[in-house]
Amino acid sequence: MSVDNSNEPKPRQVHPVVDFIGGTISGMAALTVGYPLDTIKVRFQNPETSGKYSTTFGAFTTIVREERIAGLFKGISSPMMACAFINGLVFGSYGSLMRMQLKNEDDLPTLTQITLAGAGTGIITSVIVCPTELIKIRQQAMLSATRIPSAFEVAADIFRRQGVRGLYRGITTTALRDCSYGIYFCTYEGTCRFLRPSPPPRSRIDTDTDTAAHHQNHASLIDEVEDEFSHLSWTRLLVAGGLAGVMSWIVTFPVDVIKTRMQATEWYPRGESESLRSTVSSAVAGARSQASTSSALPQPAAVTWSTVGVRRASSATRIERHPYRTTWSSFVNSYRAEGWRVFYMGLSPTLIRSIPVNMVTFGVFEMVVGLMGR
């Protein structure tokens, strides 16, 4: 009787539908658990509200005192409605991208393949995440304890004034931030492999024909024990999930700050844009006219430098009036105004939040997959 001596665990094959359902349920559970700390994070990152709070606990108590418990859950309807799509798409697309890289379904993916699949997942899901988080952030930034506009009302107002482009403000930074799913899944899988206990040593199996039945039963028992040890305990799963969340946030948090600042502020107004273009055109025409009348000889250099000066001035005015107009202007103006520390504002509540959120995410996901796989 031949016995496989390989101790390398084989990955479980999960149907995409099970991936989707498990991701959806785990996402809804995690969203409910971590949303209050997400609201605090947004308040710290938003330049209009960051000066109001000094500590995570102080922000929590201030929001509860001024806006009641409901203030901690402002804007939760938008991500909750999209939760089925976002989290189902995360686990579903991750599984599909992983299968595309494997030559054989039984192959154990490398950490590099896991990272690539996770990063691709983030880019795909950003199409849904961007408008969802923009609406959520606009609601979370509202300090009034009175009625908060619904997610539909906020979305309709943005679409009416700025069209589809307004709903996708910050799409670049959203995609960059969500590439952290690569770090997320890589850390989770790497931690699981590191924490996976070794299977018990195999007993020597005789080939004596008189004891064949006994050894056949013994071999089956060994296989069952190894299957049990190929899965991690709940404690190890929760540790792996919490560590995955912490690592992904530490790496991409500065991008998340820029994203929040862009999405919390209005996009460049059309009226001001047209007015500014008109002002710049008039200034350029005036500079050229002045250069042509100041001397009988043409002075192209003077006209060129005047035009460049007007362009620089108009660009500086635009950035000054709308410091969070683009990804680059948001980065430059944030750094100039508040230094490098600004890119880590709200990190404390985020790291605190990431531990229970990701523990719940992976814990519930594994539970659902286990139940549906039976």
Side-chain angles (χ1 to χ4, degrees):
M1 176 181 176
S2 62
V3 180
D4 181 12
N5 292 321
S6 174
N7 293 337
E8 187 68 33
K10 295 183 179 180
R12 289 177 298 166
Q13 298 300 317
V14 182
H15 194 276
V17 174
V18 179
D19 271 335
F20 185 88
I21 295 175
T24 300
I25 296 176
S26 64
M28 295 176 71
L31 177 66
T32 304
V33 170
Y35 199 82
L37 286 169
D38 183 72
T39 298
I40 295 173
K41 181 205 74 169
V42 170
R43 294 287 180 90
F44 273 115
Q45 292 179 337
N46 185 2
E48 297 179 359
T49 57
S50 59
K52 186 178 177 64
Y53 315 105
S54 57
T55 65
T56 300
F57 182 75
F60 180 88
T61 55
T62 300
I63 294 173
V64 172
R65 183 177 66 252
E66 297 180 353
E67 307 169 48
R68 299 184 297 276
I69 293 294
L72 295 171
F73 291 90
K74 286 180 177 177
I76 194 173
S77 59
S78 174
M80 187 64 77
M81 287 186 294
C83 199
F85 299 99
I86 294 174
N87 290 278
L89 188 59
V90 165
F91 284 93
S93 59
Y94 173 77
S96 299
L97 291 173
M98 183 60 68
R99 284 185 285 270
M100 290 172 59
Q101 298 182 80
L102 298 177
K103 295 181 179 180
N104 191 308
E105 290 186 355
D106 293 332
D107 291 343
L108 188 71
T110 65
L111 294 182
T112 300
Q113 291 174 324
I114 292 172
T115 303
L116 291 175
T121 297
I123 295 174
I124 293 172
T125 57
S126 64
V127 177
I128 299 177
V129 171
C130 182
T132 300
E133 291 210 352
L134 185 143
I135 295 168
K136 171 186 75 72
I137 288 172
R138 293 288 175 88
Q139 290 179 297
Q140 286 176 319
M142 298 178 182
L143 298 176
S144 175
T146 58
R147 177 185 176 274
I148 299 298
S150 66
F152 178 79
E153 290 172 332
V154 174
D157 178 67
I158 296 173
F159 181 79
R160 176 180 56 81
R161 292 183 292 106
Q162 301 164 5
V164 175
R165 183 176 181 180
L167 291 171
Y168 278 89
R169 174 164 166 76
I171 180 64
T172 301
T173 51
T174 302
L176 289 174
R177 185 205 63 177
D178 286 353
C179 283
S180 63
Y181 277 118
I183 303 171
Y184 187 73
F185 285 111
C186 179
T187 303
Y188 176 73
E189 182 63 25
T191 305
C192 285
R193 294 180 183 182
F194 179 78
L195 295 177
R196 194 186 307 274
S198 301
R202 294 175 180 270
S203 300
R204 179 179 178 274
I205 301 179
D206 296 330
T207 57
D208 192 291
T209 55
D210 294 337
T211 59
H214 166 74
H215 291 309
Q216 179 68 35
N217 294 333
H218 184 64
S220 299
L221 179 61
I222 290 177
D223 291 337
E224 291 178 5
V225 173
E226 287 187 343
D227 286 339
E228 179 182 353
F229 273 78
S230 68
H231 300 287
L232 290 174
S233 66
W234 280 102
T235 302
R236 293 185 175 93
L237 285 174
L238 297 181
V239 169
L243 183 60
V246 170
M247 289 300 298
S248 63
W249 273 118
I250 288 177
V251 173
T252 61
F253 195 78
V255 180
D256 186 67
V257 172
I258 295 174
K259 183 191 77 71
T260 298
R261 292 196 162 206
M262 290 184 65
Q263 293 186 328
T265 56
E266 286 288 341
W267 180 63
Y268 198 80
R270 294 179 180 178
E272 289 190 31
S273 178
E274 294 173 359
S275 175
L276 183 57
R277 283 198 297 269
S278 177
T279 302
V280 172
S281 299
S282 300
V284 172
R288 288 176 175 172
S289 176
Q290 181 180 4
S292 62
T293 57
S294 61
S295 174
L297 297 176
Q299 300 178 1
V303 175
T304 301
W305 281 110
S306 298
T307 304
V308 170
V310 171
R311 287 175 181 170
R312 287 177 176 173
S314 64
S315 177
T317 302
R318 185 184 289 108
I319 293 177
E320 182 180 354
R321 291 182 179 179
H322 306 282
Y324 311 112
R325 187 173 60 90
T326 65
T327 302
W328 178 246
S329 69
S330 299
F331 173 81
V332 171
N333 283 278
S334 297
Y335 178 76
R336 287 177 178 174
E338 303 171 65
W340 64 269
R341 294 179 182 273
V342 68
F343 299 112
Y344 292 93
M345 292 181 64
L347 180 61
S348 295
T350 301
L351 294 182
I352 296 172
R353 165 182 169 267
S354 69
I355 296 175
V357 163
N358 291 284
M359 289 171 66
V360 170
T361 298
F362 281 105
V364 173
F365 179 77
E366 293 288 344
M367 181 183 67
V368 173
V369 169
L371 292 175
M372 296 188 67
R374 292 180 180 176

